[in-house]
Amino acid sequence: MAKLTDPITILKGVGPTKAKQFAQLNIHTLQDLICHFPRGYEDRTRLLTISQLEVDKPACFKAMVMNHPRTNHIRKGLDITKVQVADHTARLTLTFFNNKYALEQLQYGREYIFYGAVSGDFIGYNMTNPVFEALDSAPVTTRRILPIYPLTAGLSNAAMGKAVRQALSICDPPEEILPEAIRKQYGILPAQRAYFAIHEPATMAEAEMARKRLIFEEFFVFSAGLSLMRSARSGKTAPPYRNRDLRPLLAALPFALTGAQNRAIAEILEDLGKGVPMNRLVQGDVGSGKTMVAAAAAYCAVNNQKQAALMVPTEILAEQHFHSLSRLLTPLGLRLGLLTGSMKDKEKKEVRAALADGQIDFAIGTHALLSDATVFHDLGLVIADEQHRFGVAQRSRLSAKGSDPHLLVMSATPIPRTLALIMYGDLDVSVLDELPPGRQQVDTFLVNESYRARINAFIRKQVAEGHQCFVVCPAVEENEELNIKSAQLWAETLQTAVFPDLRVALIHGQMKGSEKEGIMASFARGEADILVATTVIEVGVDVPNATLMVIEDADRFGLSQLHQLRGRVGRGSAKSYCILTSHNRSGDTLQRLKAFCQTTDGFRIAEEDLKMRGPGDFFGSRQSGLPVFRVADLSMDLQTLKDAQTASARWIDAEGSSDSPEARALRSRIGTLFQRAEGTMN
Ligand code: ADP
Ligand code: MG
């Protein structure tokens, strides 16, 4: 027997070239291969007679070859082979294009199993390029449920399937980590069976059972990890903050807080007074005023002789927050400090010295706050902004800089509450479901290609009025197959062919972090009129002068993502617009996009996304601070997530620290899952 950790090159037919292709999909070991799950299936188990075949519905049938296949050479690169087949019900003509194999294999007078769809025309029924197998061959492409795998260039579905089957035949799948009692209670397949069944299901129902088991397992591990973190904190104490008077701060604000802000702040103040470390997530749509909530928490910490730290994902955000919060808090006697990676060494040293001896009360910065060189005098509160950009472990690294400080994380991604409880199971959640009054609505329109000239004219008009525009494309580079706009090419087209007299800039995710920051900062200073971008601009910098967001091929994005993008405009006093383009004609897609044009409520949009696309999207690559879920690509249902969470919480309570083999296996799996999360950040 081989081991799960063995490299895939021990498989027959996998040499260095194939191994490189597998590596493209992050498949290096047998375990990776066995955990490379199909994204769907083709049910080829139905065996019909020829007369039962229905137009455009592929199925299997058994038939005899009634003549010698004949090939016509039409022109260079086009050979057409025709052959007659029949069963006791009917005859059928099969047509193969450039298929020497069919010509060589199909023998007059012998029976085969075919799989294909008939098409009807005047002359009668016809079938093009069916797959076929001899009656005595093992079922591979017919008479079974065919798994369809995520693939990469050069790697066929057949090659992938073959490699997976081989791997399963020479090594045991990953060990069982779900206790039997739990499997019984939730009707969950044992690990062994699930790993075989996901790749080679006997029925579609079995495939579904396997999928459910693997989703359950993944969430069980994830939730168990969160529960462990929670219980590790449960014995901890923090000095209760006695001074929770915010009146001076509120008096200094140029506006009244919204009801939602007041509620969130009240929840936070209560946490801070309890004597145990706070662990709270503040979830609020873009523009809902999360910074004020953070400021209130920091203000309270400092008034209780503690330091506070606010960590944000980019340098420009850090600077923006530093300046706006300094304006508010410095007059109230707080000493603020900024710490980012690109500051001069001398400046960093000074800030760090001030943090270490308590000369700075409230530090705002990037990852630089995490480095070993940063030491706090007495850190009482840690705030992480745009939570999904930070890994679970990063949060805990910042926490480790104080003795059990309070933790506040802020996320701008509205997530349905049910899902938030699952994703952030170790946190309490406050929701800012209200925008400050007088906020401008961003008018949103859905158009098709025939509006191109009008879109261009509109961009020109915005720029002529002194404003700036974002143009977002779904891809970085050109991709002929997908026929979608790429940021690179579109930026070039706009600059050379459409707006030669305007300043067009480009930003995308394949650029280095510092390069991206440079471009964003320059756009924020007004040094370009149009910024062509990928979704990298989703989170981040305020450009109040940007009044137009054009999203190309909008059907390529999830609704929540569109919502984040739209939130980049409408931040200043001028009227703002969002234009979605799409040449998709599917009624569902258009309806979804039209509904999006009519609502600006992020939570409703998120609920809609959850209904339409399932929770998988929220766990996808965009949420990069969370562990990467392998099964998340397959759609998953909320109930399974909830069951897994309930089961894991109960199990951790009872056996979390036990020394049984299952508990140990589970703890090691938790370690791997959260490590993988760290690896995917930034
Ligand atoms: P986000 O939740 O996206 O982080 P911000 O905290 O950046 O939102 O707030 C967006 C803008 O709204 C800021 O200019 C802020 O000063 C303003 N703001 C925050 N709260 C209120 C309020 N209660 N009334 C009016 N304006 C507010
Ligand atoms: Mg913010």
Side-chain angles (χ1 to χ4, degrees), residues 131-395:
V131 296
F132 61 88
E133 287 171 332
L135 285 188
D136 55 0
S137 71
V140 174
T141 56
T142 70
R143 293 162 291 167
R144 69 186 279 248
I145 292 174
L146 188 76
I148 308 294
Y149 290 98
L151 299 170
T152 184
L155 209 52
S156 70
N157 196 53
M160 178 65 80
K162 206 164 147 192
V164 172
R165 280 197 304 279
Q166 217 191 121
L168 282 169
S169 72
I170 60 165
C171 101
D172 284 327
E175 64 191 322
E176 181 62 83
I177 53 153
L178 296 178
E180 198 187 338
I182 291 177
R183 292 203 315 265
K184 278 234 172 74
Q185 184 182 354
Y186 293 99
I188 298 284
L189 290 185
Q192 191 91 10
R193 258 196 74 199
Y195 280 102
F196 279 99
I198 193 97
H199 294 293
E200 290 206 67
T203 60
M204 289 304 274
E206 197 188 32
E208 181 55 29
M209 292 283 289
R211 194 184 67 89
K212 183 175 162 195
R213 144 84 209 202
L214 294 167
I215 291 172
F216 191 99
E217 169 174 330
E218 205 155 40
F219 271 83
F220 188 87
V221 174
F222 173 64
S223 315
L226 293 184
S227 303
L228 276 184
M229 289 189 346
R230 186 185 266 271
S231 66
R233 282 191 310 249
S234 69
K236 306 253 164 89
T237 57
Y241 291 179
R242 304 211 184 278
N243 177 1
R244 283 172 283 154
D245 181 8
L246 293 186
R247 274 172 300 183
L249 174 69
L250 299 183
L253 286 180
F255 43 69
L257 294 178
T258 65
Q261 281 171 321
N262 274 320
R263 275 194 301 280
I265 291 172
E267 283 165 347
I268 289 166
L269 291 184
E270 196 186 323
D271 287 351
L272 295 178
K274 267 186 192 155
V276 294
M278 166 172 78
N279 278 288
R280 185 166 290 278
L281 169 72
V282 173
Q283 251 210 321
D285 219 335
V286 236
S288 58
K290 290 181 292 295
T291 318
M292 260 333 117
V293 175
Y299 178 82
C300 176
V302 174
N303 278 338
N304 288 273
Q305 289 70 52
K306 293 284 181 181
Q307 286 172 302
L310 169 62
M311 183 166 72
V312 301
T314 69
E315 306 215 333
I316 338 171
L317 261 182
E319 281 166 26
Q320 276 190 349
H321 276 117
F322 175 70
H323 291 301
S324 64
L325 289 173
S326 294
R327 264 199 308 277
L328 174 70
L329 298 174
T330 310
L332 298 172
L334 276 70
R335 296 162 299 175
L336 275 68
L338 173 69
L339 188 65
T340 66
S342 69
M343 282 166 47
K344 291 208 190 72
D345 282 346
K346 184 160 162 282
E347 291 172 332
K348 275 192 266 197
K349 227 178 183 164
E350 280 169 18
V351 174
R352 286 192 167 120
L355 279 172
D357 67 7
Q359 299 295 313
I360 291 177
D361 304 309
F362 186 11
I364 296 167
T366 55
H367 291 85
L369 288 173
L370 292 177
S371 85
D372 287 339
T374 312
V375 178
F376 289 84
H377 174 65
D378 190 1
L379 182 63
L381 169 68
V382 170
I383 308 170
D385 194 6
E386 308 295 8
Q387 194 271 341
H388 57 291
R389 291 294 169 105
F390 291 110
V392 176
Q394 270 181 317
R395 269 198 248 144

Side-chain angles (χ1 to χ4, degrees), residues 347-553:
E347 291 172 332
K348 275 192 266 197
K349 227 178 183 164
E350 280 169 18
V351 174
R352 286 192 167 120
L355 279 172
D357 67 7
Q359 299 295 313
I360 291 177
D361 304 309
F362 186 11
I364 296 167
T366 55
H367 291 85
L369 288 173
L370 292 177
S371 85
D372 287 339
T374 312
V375 178
F376 289 84
H377 174 65
D378 190 1
L379 182 63
L381 169 68
V382 170
I383 308 170
D385 194 6
E386 308 295 8
Q387 194 271 341
H388 57 291
R389 291 294 169 105
F390 291 110
V392 176
Q394 270 181 317
R395 269 198 248 144
S396 55
R397 241 165 84 202
L398 190 51
S399 291
K401 295 200 173 284
S403 51
D404 306 326
H406 296 288
L407 178 66
L408 184 65
V409 295
M410 304 198 292
S411 166
T413 318
I415 295 167
R417 197 173 178 89
T418 38
L419 211 51
L421 292 177
I422 292 170
M423 288 169 67
Y424 305 110
D426 64 324
L427 302 172
D428 300 309
V429 181
S430 300
V431 174
L432 296 184
D433 51 4
E434 186 183 346
L435 292 185
R439 214 28 89 65
Q440 293 227 23
Q441 289 254 340
V442 176
D443 285 350
T444 309
F445 306 95
L446 172 64
V447 300
N448 58 30
E449 207 46 46
S450 68
Y451 283 73
R452 183 58 65 191
R454 271 190 267 178
I455 298 174
N456 290 341
F458 196 60
I459 292 177
R460 197 169 271 291
K461 178 161 173 274
Q462 295 299 316
V463 175
E465 287 170 8
H467 298 307
Q468 292 164 281
C469 306
F470 291 105
V471 177
V472 175
C473 300
V476 177
E477 289 167 27
E478 211 47 20
N479 182 333
E480 287 191 2
E481 270 167 66
L482 288 175
N483 183 26
I484 51 177
K485 288 223 158 51
S486 84
Q488 270 170 2
L489 194 72
W490 193 236
E492 217 180 288
T493 309
L494 289 182
Q495 180 68 88
T496 54
V498 190
F499 304 117
D501 52 327
L502 303 184
R503 299 164 301 171
V504 179
L506 169 69
I507 188 171
H508 59 72
Q510 286 174 12
M511 293 173 165
K512 275 216 213 78
S514 53
E515 193 181 354
K516 280 187 289 200
E517 295 226 352
I519 295 170
M520 256 341 272
S522 139
F523 187 66
R525 287 193 300 267
E527 293 166 8
D529 305 305
I530 301 168
L531 182 61
V532 181
T534 55
T535 51
V536 292
I537 56 156
E538 197 177 301
V539 171
V541 186
D542 231 354
V543 186
N545 190 41
T547 51
L548 173 60
M549 165 68 63
V550 180
I551 305 174
E552 301 287 351
D553 298 304

Side-chain angles (χ1 to χ4, degrees), residues 7-49:
I8 52 169
T9 43
I10 70 164
L11 298 174
K12 267 191 245 114
V14 182
T17 317
K18 273 270 164 297
K20 265 200 201 124
Q21 294 165 347
F22 279 107
Q24 289 287 316
L25 294 164
N26 260 323
I27 299 173
H28 307 281
T29 63
L30 296 183
Q31 166 141 358
D32 297 336
L33 192 56
I34 290 173
C35 293
H36 187 65
F37 301 126
R39 60 176 168 76
Y41 301 92
E42 239 177 72
D43 189 348
R44 300 186 173 182
T45 54
R46 282 201 323 160
L47 193 63
L48 304 180
T49 63

